[in-house]
Structure formats: C-alpha cells, structure tokens
C-alpha cells in the first residue's frame, strides 16, 4: 500500500504517508530500517557511479539505500520537487551543491549574513579553489542585480537568514539569476517546506538541514537537496557517491519519523513564537525583537507573501547581553542554552557580533554599520520549541 497520487492529498497526510512503503517481506506498517552497507545482487552491476540510473538496483549504501530512499521521496513530495538527495548533514548538502556546480573562474553571489558554516565555506574554501564570491545583503534585490557578472553561475539565498531573520524575495531573485543563466539555490532550513516551497517560486535547488525542523527532535543530523531530476541525477553520482557525505539509514529513519508531525509541530512553533515575541516586544529590558510574524519586522509584508507559517525563530537584543547570557546559563529552567534550532525543546544562544563579524561575515563599511544597527553587540537567537508558551515566558522573565 503506497499513495497512488499525491496531488489530491493534504500536507498532513503527505507528511505521514508520502514515500513510505510497508516492508514487502513482513508487511510491517512502519518503514523498515535497512542497516546494510551492501546488497546481494543477482545480475552484473557496473561498479562506476557514472553508470548509476534511477532503475539501478540497490548495490551499496553510499549510492542508495531503501530507508534513505523513502526519506528522499517524502522530502521531494513536501518540497514539490521531482527528486531529492539526502546527505549526512546540512553542511554536507551545501558543500556538495557548491562544489558540484561551481568551477574555477565561476562567480557566486551569496547572502552576506547567513549560516556561519556556509559563510566560511564560501569565503575560504571556494575562493581557495579560484571561485569568485560576492557576499551581498540579498534582502534587497538591487544588491543582487548589481553583483551579477557574466561569469555568475549561482545565486545563494538563505531565507529567513541566520541570525537577523532577513527575508529574501525568492521569485525576484530567480528572475535575476535566470537572466544570467545562473542557478538559484535557497537554503530554506528556517522556513521548512510547511512555510515555503522555493521551487514553486522559481528556485532551482532547495537545501535543508534536516537536523533542524524537519527531523525536529534534536537527535539526528542530516541534510537534503531537492530539485529537478535533471539537476539531482548528476548530483547523486558526483556529490553523494564521490564526496561521500552519505546519511546513516538510522538517521534517515529517525528523521522520517520526525517528519510525520512536521505540519503539527510548525503550527505550534508559530503559535508559541508569536506569543513569546509579543511578550519580548513589551519587555522594558528588550531593545529589539525580530520575528517575521510581527508587524514590526521590516519585511513582514514579504514574509507574509512567501511564507505560510512564520516558523519558530526569534532574534532579540537586550541591555547587558553578556550578563543576561550568564544568567541564562545558570538559571533557565525549561529553555536550553545551546546552539542549533528547530527542535521540540526550546534553545537560546547569544550570537556575539564581534565573533560573527570577525570569523564568518567579515563585513565592512556600510554593511557593517547596518549589521551593528540591527544586532548591536549581539542578538539572542531563540528557537521557540513546543513547550507551553507560558512556561517559556516565565523562564525568560526570570533572566531578563
Ligand atoms: C544548521 C544549518 C545548516 C547546517 O546544517 P547541519 O545539519 O548542522 O550541517 C545550514 N543552514 C542553516 C540555515 C542551518 O540552520
């Protein structure tokens, strides 16, 4: 029993059933967890990843695995994509896409503030390989247009972006990228497919850190890339089989189990985040609150137009941030003082401006002023979890 068609199904049904197949040997209703690195074959199969096709049998788990394949099919359905590849982590997925699609002499336009790992990979590794990189504030499309060159092969957005929750206009950026024959890649980790389907807005590839909302329980790392079969097919051969950042089938299984409740969790994340954001907005020690679902967010209108759910990420500034961070480490009862995001548990972490500017973003001049203007000495990145909003608010009241 598998879904005959996904077109007439709602997102709750799809999150549970899409891609999953009962085990043909036992009839088990839950997806089977296939912890085998190799597969017994009954015909000669080429030993080259270059000869891999969608019809190839399972040969070796770095190429494909029955559990991982079910996760990939579920992700593809939720992202409205033809195909998907799962990776060992979000960074494995991001690095794979950049390395597979950019060569010496090519040019990349990328958000100037985003996930620090991605920022450092672009600025250090890609430039070392002879790829030109122009970081710009992609939340203003005029900056993206101005950065385009004849050799621009990729535009990379992260929306909402780490840590200031800037929103970038996906369909506008797609027009700009495509006019130059460049690919538009969107890291949609903060949004999840419940909020935004970037491919339907013109993006070519969508990246997720499955470690965050999609897995949702803080227990398994994974990453994914979704897109057309024409882009994903060759990526599997080069970026998965040869770079080797393959997900463990056990993690694929855990993430798939998490995904069954993704729509329900996202609804609760949004509801809790809005309550917490409104509390923070009225608190006299809080200087600034950034949440795409608040009318006060500078891009609330754009967020409304491309997000069906404002997700659970809040950034806020308070007086004496390092003192507050100390109190958080000592006194928080429910919220964990820890990095990462998108889990059922609420997490908070102070993103120090000097740290991010020095090691990751390296902003100068006007862009540095703009960052300091929004972030001051640092912002608290709060991933609002699924606990009772009243308990989260009480925890925050205690430390502010
Ligand atoms: C966490 C994260 C990544 C990296 O994912 P990992 O699974 O930690 O490797 C990339 N982009 C964004 C927006 C993230 O939040």
């Amino acid at each position: 029993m598998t879904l005959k068609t996904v077109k007439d199904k709602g997102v709750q049904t799809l999150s549970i059933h899409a891609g999953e197949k009962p085990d043909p040997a036992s009839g088990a209703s839950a997806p089977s967890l296939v912890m085998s690195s190799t597969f017994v074959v009954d015909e000669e199969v080429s030993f080259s990843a270059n000869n891999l096709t969608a019809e190839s049998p399972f040969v070796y788990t770095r190429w494909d695995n029955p559990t991982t394949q079910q996760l990939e099919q579920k992700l593809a359905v939720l992202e409205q994509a033809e195909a998907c590849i799962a990776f060992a982590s979000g960074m494995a997925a991001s690095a794979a896409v950049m390395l597979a699609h950019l060569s010496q002499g090519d040019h990349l336009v990328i958000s100037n503030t985003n996930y620090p790992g991605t920022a450092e990979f672009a600025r250090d590794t890609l430039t070392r390989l002879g790829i030109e990189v122009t970081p710009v504030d992609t939340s203003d499309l005029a900056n993206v247009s101005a950065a385009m060159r004849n050799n621009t092969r990729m535009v990379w957005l992260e929306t909402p972006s780490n840590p200031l929750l800037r929103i970038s206009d996906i369909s506008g950026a797609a027009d700009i990228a495509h006019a130059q024959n460049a690919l538009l890649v969107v890291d949609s980790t903060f949004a999840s497919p419940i909020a935004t389907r970037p491919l339907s807005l013109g993006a070519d590839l969508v990246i997720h850190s499955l470690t965050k909302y999609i897995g949702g329980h803080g227990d398994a790392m994974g990453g994914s890339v979704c897109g057309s079969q024409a882009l994903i097919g060759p990526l599997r051969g080069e970026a998965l089989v040869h770079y080797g950042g393959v997900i463990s089938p056990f993690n694929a299984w855990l993430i798939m189990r998490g995904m069954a409740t993704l729509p329900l969790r996202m609804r609760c994340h949004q509801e809790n985040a809005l309550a917490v954001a409104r509390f923070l907005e009225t608190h006299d020690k809080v200087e600034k609150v950034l949440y795409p679902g608040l009318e006060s967010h500078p891009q609330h209108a754009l967020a409304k137009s491309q997000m069906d759910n404002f997700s659970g990420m809040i950034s806020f500034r308070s007086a004496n941030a390092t003192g507050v961070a100390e109190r958080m480490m000592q006194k928080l009862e429910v919220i964990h003082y820890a990095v990462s995001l998108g889990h059922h548990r609420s997490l908070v972490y102070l993103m120090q401006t000097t740290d991010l500017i020095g090691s990751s973003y390296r902003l100068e001049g006007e862009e540095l002023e703009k960052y300091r203007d929004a972030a001051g000495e640092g912002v608290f990145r709060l991933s609002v979890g699924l606990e009772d909003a009243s308990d989260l608010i009480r925890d925050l009241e205690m430390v502010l």
Side-chain angles (χ1 to χ4, degrees):
M1 194 172 299
T2 46
L3 294 182
K4 288 182 188 65
T5 163
V6 298
K7 288 203 173 57
D8 58 347
K9 307 294 189 301
V11 71
Q12 289 180 208
T13 304
L14 295 174
S15 297
I16 295 168
H17 291 286
E20 295 190 8
K21 300 181 219 24
D23 176 32
S26 66
S29 159
S32 53
L33 170 52
V34 179
M35 292 300 284
S36 184
S37 54
T38 192
F39 295 83
V40 178
V41 294
D42 55 9
E43 57 181 301
E44 278 305 318
V45 184
S46 166
F47 204 68
S48 167
N50 298 330
N51 300 324
L52 198 61
T53 69
E55 283 72 46
S56 300
F58 294 109
V59 178
Y60 190 55
T61 280
R62 179 154 42 76
W63 299 13
D64 209 353
N65 170 283
T67 307
T68 304
Q69 189 180 70
Q70 292 183 64
L71 169 68
E72 290 170 341
Q73 287 173 358
K74 190 187 289 290
L75 285 164
V77 166
L78 290 192
E79 277 297 350
Q80 298 170 1
E82 284 173 12
C84 171
I85 310 177
F87 286 86
S89 68
M91 274 314 298
S94 299
V97 164
M98 289 184 184
L99 291 176
H101 283 285
L102 295 169
S103 300
Q104 184 175 25
D106 288 349
H107 177 235
L108 164 73
V109 175
I110 186 166
S111 319
N112 63 0
T113 58
N114 54 5
Y115 186 72
T118 315
E120 290 165 22
F121 185 82
R123 284 164 183 73
D124 298 332
T125 308
L126 294 185
T127 54
R128 178 166 54 73
L129 299 175
I131 295 157
E132 297 176 273
V133 177
T134 307
V136 295
D137 179 357
T138 56
S139 67
D140 179 351
L141 287 183
N143 297 329
V144 178
S145 292
M148 297 299 287
R149 301 182 195 160
N150 288 334
N151 60 340
T152 307
R153 295 277 69 89
M154 184 182 288
V155 174
W156 184 288
L157 305 181
E158 183 177 301
T159 180
S161 71
N162 184 76
L164 298 181
L165 303 173
R166 287 176 178 161
I167 312 291
S168 293
D169 177 344
I170 296 170
S171 69
D175 291 342
I176 297 168
H178 295 159
Q180 203 66 56
N181 277 327
L183 292 175
L184 177 67
V185 183
V186 176
D187 182 336
S188 193
T189 297
F190 276 37
S192 91
I194 303 306
T196 307
R197 272 81 46 214
L199 300 174
S200 72
L201 298 171
D204 299 288
L205 292 169
V206 183
I207 306 272
H208 282 288
S209 167
L210 305 175
T211 318
K212 314 295 171 52
Y213 285 105
I214 290 179
H217 295 76
D219 50 13
M221 299 204 68
S224 65
V225 184
C226 292
S228 65
Q229 185 57 45
L231 288 173
I232 294 292
L235 200 64
R236 180 178 293 279
E238 176 169 346
L240 189 69
V241 178
H242 290 159
Y243 308 166
V246 64
I247 192 171
S248 158
F250 183 40
N251 280 9
W253 189 91
L254 283 170
I255 290 164
M256 196 163 22
R257 183 164 86 156
M259 283 179 76
T261 55
L262 181 62
L264 311 184
R265 287 187 284 111
M266 292 311 293
R267 215 182 292 153
C268 182
H269 280 299
Q270 166 175 258
E271 188 185 307
N272 278 358
L274 200 57
V276 171
R278 291 206 195 289
F279 155 76
L280 290 169
E281 250 191 340
T282 56
H283 196 287
D284 59 359
K285 296 277 177 45
V286 174
E287 295 165 349
K288 191 178 204 122
V289 183
L290 290 166
Y291 178 62
L294 286 179
E295 296 72 17
S296 60
H297 188 286
Q299 296 167 290
H300 179 61
L302 176 58
K304 262 202 326 211
S305 76
Q306 69 179 30
M307 299 178 78
D308 297 332
N309 174 298
F310 296 116
S311 193
M313 296 304 298
I314 298 174
S315 287
F316 68 93
R317 263 169 71 180
S318 82
N320 182 22
T322 41
V324 172
E326 284 285 321
R327 279 205 293 283
M328 285 177 167
M329 289 181 234
Q330 310 296 331
K331 293 197 171 149
L332 285 174
E333 189 184 346
V334 177
I335 304 170
H336 286 187
Y337 190 82
V339 297
S340 201
L341 57 111
H343 304 169
H344 54 339
R345 297 181 194 91
S346 292
L347 306 169
V348 70
Y349 206 79
L350 174 60
M351 311 290 282
Q352 300 263 18
T353 296
T354 41
D355 191 24
L356 277 176
I357 295 297
S359 63
S360 305
Y361 306 147
R362 303 163 208 176
L363 301 175
E364 290 171 358
E366 199 183 313
E367 287 299 319
L368 178 58
E369 295 294 305
K370 246 171 49 185
Y371 187 89
R372 279 201 184 280
D373 206 39
E377 292 314 303
V379 287
F380 288 96
R381 192 182 68 182
L382 174 59
S383 172
V384 180
L386 305 179
E387 303 93 339
D388 292 282
S390 54
D391 291 331
L392 302 177
I393 289 170
R394 192 158 358 97
D395 234 14
L396 290 166
E397 239 167 356
M398 195 165 55
V399 294
L400 280 169

